[in-house]
Amino acid sequence: MITHDQRRLAFHVTAGHEPTLVLDAGGGEDSSYWDALVPQLSQATGSRIITYDRAGMGASDEVKGPWDGRAAAADLQAGLSDLGVTQNVVLVSHSQAGEVAGYFAGANPGVLDGAVLVDANLPQFFTDAEIQRLVAVTAPQIEELKKQPSTKANRQLIATAEDFGPTHQAYHQVSWPDDVPVTVIVSEKTPFDGSPEDAQRWRDAAAAFVAAGPGRTLVTAQGSSHDVPKDKPALVEAEIERMAATAK
């Protein structure tokens, strides 16, 4: 447990050598999301592996107010610093954790040797038009969540919806550092399997992100839902291993 901004955050460490693999789960998920993958990665790479519970999830304290990617990135930085991890990191981020990765990479030069973004939220996706569309589509779902029994997962989803527009307009302006190589894994079905228009925009955003800088690779998880680490664990493991090998 580490303390940052007067709240306690849970970090889990599997011993090993550098590069350190840091696995960050998507919205509504905690560190247990990676339980099946950690032993395999540890055996294959020998790397130290860190998973953690973002504020409000798992064993970590909750934080009031709307979702804040910058604050989440600061939590991650504080935890890694407390653990003595200040360089040679490969960051693996799924879904909403892509926002944490974007802010973390920009605010912590020299820490990341590479990243694997797994069907992650990317700045290029969050245009004004797409933000307005998402707010309109999800509003009824959020209202239903508010009527259900309050759980950590529900509260996190509601927090993500608060100030969604301004939060993601700001994220739309975030750029990835050119000196950090990154592999982008995009699922075939995307988070918008029921909406061809949004699904295409998601794929287009991934392609635009990869085209926007050097050292970027796009990989498609054929046949996978948005839940790529569960649907295609071998693919995710292979891309993490590849990035870790280049970071040594």
Side-chain angles (χ1 to χ4, degrees), residues 105-106 112-113 175-182 209-216:
L112 297 183
D113 280 357
S175 59
W176 188 266
D178 285 346
D179 61 348
V180 179
V182 56
F209 177 91
V210 169
R216 306 183 189 189

Side-chain angles (χ1 to χ4, degrees), residues 77-228:
Q77 190 279 329
L80 294 182
S81 179
D82 194 72
L83 293 168
V85 179
T86 58
Q87 60 181 0
N88 303 125
V89 170
V90 172
L91 182 58
V92 181
S93 304
H94 177 235
S95 192
Q96 188 183 37
E99 298 179 41
V100 183
Y103 284 117
F104 183 93
N108 297 279
V111 174
L112 297 183
D113 280 357
V116 180
L117 305 181
V118 187
D119 224 25
N121 293 12
L122 300 173
Q124 285 79 353
F125 180 70
F126 294 97
T127 62
D128 286 346
E130 189 62 31
I131 289 170
Q132 292 173 8
R133 180 177 172 83
L134 292 176
V135 169
V137 168
T138 58
Q141 301 167 11
I142 297 301
E143 290 305 312
E144 285 301 313
L145 277 180
K146 291 178 179 179
K147 298 175 185 177
Q148 296 177 12
S150 183
T151 65
K152 270 192 169 183
N154 283 1
R155 290 193 292 273
Q156 282 297 101
L157 291 171
I158 292 168
T160 299
E162 292 183 45
D163 290 343
F164 187 91
T167 296
H168 289 85
Q169 285 172 340
Y171 181 57
H172 186 59
Q173 305 303 317
V174 171
S175 59
W176 188 266
D178 285 346
D179 61 348
V180 179
V182 56
T183 296
V184 175
I185 302 175
V186 63
S187 69
E188 182 179 359
K189 297 180 181 179
T190 83
F192 306 100
D193 192 28
S195 171
E197 178 182 357
D198 293 314
Q200 189 58 54
R201 289 178 178 177
W202 184 265
R203 287 188 287 266
D204 290 345
F209 177 91
V210 169
R216 306 183 189 189
T217 302
L218 182 63
V219 175
T220 299
Q222 299 289 344
S224 178
S225 72
H226 179 54
D227 207 19
V228 186

Side-chain angles (χ1 to χ4, degrees), residues 223-240:
S224 178
S225 72
H226 179 54
D227 207 19
V228 186
K230 302 290 188 181
D231 289 354
K232 300 288 181 179
L235 171 65
V236 174
E237 180 183 350
E239 294 303 332
I240 296 171

